[in-house]
Amino acid sequence: MTTPIIIDCDPGQDDAVAVLTALGSPELDVLAITAVHGNVPLARTAPNARALVEFAGRPEVPVHAGCDRPLRRPAIHAVRIHGESGLRGFEPPPARRPVEAAHAAEFIVETLKASEDVVLAALGPLTNLASAFTWAPEVAKRVKQIVLMGGGRGVGNVTPVAEFNIYVDPEAADIVFRAGAPIVMIGLDTTWQALATPPRLAAWRKKGGKAGQAAAAMYDNPARFDAKRYGEEGLPLHDPCVIAYLLRPDLFDGRHCHVAVETGSPLTLGQTVVDWWGTTGQAANATVLSRVDADGYFRLLTERLARLG
Ligand code: RIB
Ligand code: CA
């Protein structure tokens, strides 16, 4: 049995490792990649997604371009981290095939109308998903599951309490968390446990095939290592946690709880307010993960990346 998934992403270095991992995993039927603004502008994330599927030897996987800015705010990018190209350190051959004509939100709506088995893997700002759920609210309850990288419990990487994917488009995140679809939220407090340390980079180079080489090239950036923040040398590998959860949920722990998104306060804009101890009595709307077996995670990534040759 394969799991049909749509990967909504803003490649972006970690998005790229996530997409390659998914394409190396036969358990997943990647119906399409939908690109969204985020780490770099849509004008880069969409062609990057095309280049990734072709690098992976999967040119038949369609890529749909989506929203090029947040629902109501100016776009914010992370070029300082991901580079102008969005894939700093990795230069895949340029794509030969164009992106599809249909907008990402339209593809998501039409796919969900046709099936109730589809998982949405959300790796960037949630603008495409929110646009789809606003356009056709009835499809939100047809989603099998949304597994998203975003938010965190009391931590942030843009502000002290807000994570990039949520902070960039908090209104979109608010729509998604209220939409009624089953959600698994993988926040920074979990992904910061998954560091691409030097031994793990070496394993990617030695045993990860061409995709492992590409991943190591993107993450071998000692100038950005921050052992004080993360506890040891290495950069966190956020987005592939979403794919790893779909493949091996046993590598993770978490609990059902209510999550709300701050969309008004200038101080805490974009915070995911996670009711971890059930103090509000509000019904849980997400499974919030809190731990990952980092060694098992990187072994899984290395093994799947290697399958791409
Ligand atoms: O905060 C980390 C998240 O923001 C990751 O998805 C990264 O790719 C960026 O989109
Ligand atoms: Ca991302």
Side-chain angles (χ1 to χ4, degrees):
M1 280 292 284
T2 56
T3 301
I5 71 168
I6 296 171
I7 302 176
D8 190 72
C9 57
D10 58 332
Q13 294 171 313
D14 56 332
D15 305 71
V17 179
V19 167
L20 294 174
T21 301
L23 295 173
S25 299
E27 303 92 320
L28 303 177
D29 175 14
V30 182
L31 302 177
I33 310 286
T34 52
V36 68
H37 67 88
N39 288 316
V40 291
L42 180 72
R44 287 274 10 118
T45 61
N48 283 348
R50 267 298 337 146
L52 288 166
V53 298
E54 296 181 20
F55 174 80
R58 299 286 302 283
E60 80 285 358
V61 176
V63 171
H64 291 262
C67 300
D68 65 358
R69 74 199 66 180
L71 294 180
R72 294 194 213 147
R73 299 172 185 270
I76 297 172
H77 300 306
V79 171
R80 179 180 57 82
I81 293 175
H82 296 268
E84 289 292 335
S85 73
L87 301 177
R88 173 183 276 140
F90 173 39
E91 292 180 20
R96 295 201 177 139
R97 274 180 49 172
V99 301
E100 306 299 312
H103 187 282
E106 178 186 356
F107 176 81
I108 291 168
V109 167
E110 294 311 316
T111 304
L112 293 177
K113 281 182 176 175
S115 168
E116 291 188 306
D117 298 326
V118 177
V119 169
L120 301 180
L123 314 181
L126 293 166
T127 318
N128 285 345
L129 271 65
S131 300
F133 294 167
T134 302
W135 179 10
E138 73 279 8
V139 303
K141 291 196 171 52
R142 296 178 57 85
V143 180
K144 182 172 181 187
Q145 189 176 53
I146 298 172
V147 185
L148 65 89
M149 190 280 140
R153 288 189 295 144
V155 289
N157 56 4
V158 179
T159 76
V161 293
E163 177 277 326
F164 180 84
N165 287 338
I166 310 298
Y167 180 82
V168 164
D169 196 345
E171 286 76 17
D174 185 42
I175 288 168
V176 170
F177 275 94
R178 292 175 186 273
I183 292 174
V184 174
M185 174 183 133
I186 310 178
L188 288 176
D189 45 307
T190 299
T191 63
W192 275 346
Q193 298 168 33
L195 300 181
T197 58
R200 290 165 179 161
L201 294 175
W204 275 350
R205 286 194 192 90
K206 190 167 170 222
K207 295 185 253 176
K210 67 175 186 176
Q213 296 281 342
M218 288 190 284
Y219 277 84
D220 190 1
N221 189 344
R224 284 184 46 217
F225 290 0
D226 184 348
K228 290 192 196 70
R229 179 194 290 221
Y230 303 126
E232 61 180 314
E233 299 299 321
L235 294 172
L237 212 67
H238 306 288
D239 291 341
C241 284
V242 169
I243 306 304
Y245 177 81
L246 288 169
L247 297 169
R248 288 277 312 278
D250 60 295
L251 293 175
F252 298 85
D253 289 331
R255 73 168 67 161
H256 295 299
C257 43
H258 185 267
V259 178
V261 179
E262 177 57 60
T263 57
S265 157
L267 177 64
T268 58
L269 182 70
Q271 178 172 11
T272 50
V273 180
V274 178
D275 188 1
W276 190 251
W277 298 109
T279 52
T280 65
Q282 288 183 281
N285 58 346
T287 299
V288 176
L289 302 190
S290 57
R291 190 197 66 84
V292 58
D293 167 358
D295 286 332
Y297 171 59
F298 276 91
R299 278 195 299 273
L300 176 66
L301 295 190
T302 305
E303 190 264 320
R304 295 310 164 95
L305 292 173
R307 294 187 188 205
L308 298 177

